[in-house]
């Protein structure tokens, strides 16, 4: 269903595009004809990733160093990206910081660190893109990567939950406010997709197998599944989707939310007894 020219000549800026899911999405976009900017803090890593991505997938990948917590650096990075390609079509806010910790152990700097990358960084990049699109009279698309706990919150990752919920609020706010400028937004809430960055910080050693029990499909996500969803959402075929957040998690968060999900532990025999008890009660 994905034609090779689905994203032909679209210029897509991916924050955090040199690693993990950002890189996986970028590689898929290259296959579909896009041109990329990848931007994050580690310049050498970015340059190497850009080389490898171009060699494996063709197209053009411009690596630009930036710390998204610094609004001046964000401005400089957008200036360089815009000048290089003569404009941008898509901003993919994918950069994030996160780690698991009891909240009472966090220092103010730890809180600022996650909120700075996820909420402020996303906001600064969105402002830098939006101002340019509006001034140039060009259409634009913002895709934000959030998490399934944007609605529920989550113990042990409170700064990330608060920041990602803010990003979702931004996604929905701008869907309405900037539609008149032909700028639209969307978000993706991924469940577990193993990456080095996330697993090192969030998955206690030896617990990956046990974590599968939380997921009705009993498997983690494949990077290409997320990349295909992102490609669709950035294509013109999804032009009427505005302000929506798509969950891609094998049913994980619904299982956590459903009051009786835990009954999956019952055997056939347990169910026979349950039915007999219910009939007796009648
Ligand atoms: C408690 C911690 C901590 C930890 C850092 N800090 N790690 N506190 N527990 N595990 C504290 C430090 O002590 C310091 O506070 C403050 O946070 C800033 O730490 P620095 O190391 O100086 O920050 P910095 O170099 O800016 O790094 C930012 C970072 C780091 C967020 C801490 O982890 C990072 O660079 N992350 C980027 C990549 C990432 O996180 N990827 C995962 C995304 S996954 P003090 O007071 O001591 O100075 C994701 C998935 C969600 O979002 C859903 C999964 C299913
Ligand atoms: P990752 O590889 O650690 O990606 C995080 C990226 O953000 C890195 O490339 C990092 O590059 C960049 N980054 C961090 N701080 C930055 C800063 N201050 N300025 C600029 N860039 C910065 O982890 P991932 O798993 O692929 O995560 C990608 C996205 O998916 C994140 O938004 C995450 O919240 C989301 N997500 C992931 C999962 C999952 O299961 N993996 C689940 C839900 C949501 P530098 O270090 O070079 O700066």
């Amino acid at each position: 269903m994905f034609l090779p020219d689905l994203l032909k000549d679209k210029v897509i800026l991916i924050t955090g595009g040199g690693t993990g899911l950002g890189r996986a999405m970028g590689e898929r976009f290259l296959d579909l004809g896009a041109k990329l900017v990848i931007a994050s803090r580690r310049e050498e890593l970015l340059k190497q990733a850009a080389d490898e991505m171009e060699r494996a997938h063709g197209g053009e990948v411009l690596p630009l160093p930036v710390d998204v917590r610094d609004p001046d650096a964000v401005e400089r990075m957008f200036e360089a990206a815009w000048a290089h390609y003569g404009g941008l079509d898509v901003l993919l806010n994918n950069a994030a910081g996160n780690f698991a910790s009891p909240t009472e152990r966090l220092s103010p700097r730890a809180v600022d660190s996650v909120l700075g990358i996820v909420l402020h960084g996303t906001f600064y990049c969105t402002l830098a893109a939006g101002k340019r699109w509006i001034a140039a009279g060009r259409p634009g698309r913002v895709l934000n990567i959030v998490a399934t706990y944007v609605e529920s919150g989550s113990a042990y990752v409170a700064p990330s939950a608060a920041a990602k919920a803010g990003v979702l609020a931004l996604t929905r706010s701008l869907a309405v406010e900037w539609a008149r400028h032909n700028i639209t937004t969307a978000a993706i809430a991924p469940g577990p997709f193993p990456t080095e960055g996330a697993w090192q910080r969030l998955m206690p050693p030896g617990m990956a197998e046990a974590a599968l029990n939380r997921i009705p499909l009993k498997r983690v996500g494949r990077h290409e599944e997320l990349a295909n969803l992102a490609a669709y959402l950035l294509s013109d075929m999804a032009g009427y989707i505005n302000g929506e957040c798509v969950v891609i998690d094998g049913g994980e968060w619904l299982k956590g939310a459903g009051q009786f999900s835990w009954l999956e532990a019952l055997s056939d025999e347990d169910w026979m007894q349950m039915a007999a008890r219910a009939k007796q009660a009648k």
Side-chain angles (χ1 to χ4, degrees):
M1 62 192 275
F2 293 99
L3 300 172
D5 62 352
L6 188 73
L7 301 176
K8 191 167 168 32
D9 293 333
K10 274 195 199 291
V11 179
I12 301 176
L13 190 157
I14 309 174
T15 63
T19 66
L21 302 183
R23 178 164 170 171
M25 290 187 280
E27 289 179 352
R28 187 72 181 112
F29 302 158
L30 288 173
D31 287 339
L32 297 169
K35 298 173 184 167
L36 302 184
V37 182
I38 57 174
S40 76
R41 294 167 298 180
R42 288 170 290 173
E43 190 166 7
E44 278 316 306
L45 177 146
L46 279 179
K47 281 184 183 158
Q48 194 182 330
D51 273 357
E52 290 170 5
M53 290 164 81
E54 282 180 350
R55 259 186 275 122
H57 299 273
E60 185 175 356
V61 183
L62 175 68
L64 291 177
V66 71
D67 186 330
V68 294
R69 291 172 287 194
D70 175 350
D72 295 331
V74 167
E75 265 303 307
R76 286 194 296 275
M77 185 271 287
F78 270 83
E79 214 44 58
W82 193 279
H84 181 86
Y85 286 116
L88 286 174
D89 299 296
V90 173
L91 165 63
L92 203 176
N93 284 305
N94 163 80
N98 199 1
F99 46 78
S101 171
T103 303
E104 67 276 14
R105 289 188 187 207
L106 297 175
S107 68
R109 274 200 75 233
V111 174
D112 288 353
S113 158
V114 174
L115 284 165
I117 301 169
V118 177
L119 183 55
H120 291 86
T122 298
F123 218 124
Y124 298 150
C125 290
T126 306
L127 268 178
K131 283 178 179 174
R132 283 173 174 76
W133 284 326
I134 292 168
R138 281 178 70 125
R141 178 78 155 163
V142 181
L143 178 62
N144 293 325
I145 306 299
V146 294
T148 52
Y149 45 64
V150 282
E151 302 287 358
S152 58
S154 177
Y156 305 111
V157 287
S160 173
K164 294 281 192 186
V167 171
L168 183 59
L170 179 66
T171 310
R172 290 172 170 161
S173 304
L174 295 181
V176 175
E177 192 179 333
W178 282 358
R180 72 194 177 93
H181 298 295
N182 224 346
I183 299 169
T184 58
T185 68
I188 295 178
F193 284 77
T195 63
E196 202 184 320
W199 258 227
Q200 269 178 351
R201 294 174 175 90
L202 298 166
M203 185 62 75
M207 290 183 76
E209 201 59 33
L212 289 181
N213 272 331
R214 295 177 36 76
I215 310 162
L217 287 179
K218 298 283 185 263
R219 70 168 176 87
V220 291
R222 299 183 192 112
H223 287 195
E224 67 268 22
E225 291 173 322
L226 179 77
N228 280 331
L229 173 61
Y232 166 67
L233 286 174
L234 297 186
S235 75
D236 296 339
M237 291 190 190
Y240 204 52
I241 295 178
N242 189 18
E244 187 54 72
C245 178
V246 182
V247 173
I248 176 167
D249 74 342
E252 184 192 38
W253 92 263
L254 289 173
K255 181 172 177 182
Q259 197 170 8
F260 287 92
S261 302
W262 59 280
L263 292 188
E264 81 169 352
L266 298 194
S267 65
D268 280 353
E269 199 173 306
D270 294 330
W271 280 116
M272 305 253 279
Q273 286 176 11
M274 284 280 283
R277 281 181 53 216
K279 279 180 190 152
Q280 267 175 16
K282 195 165 91 179

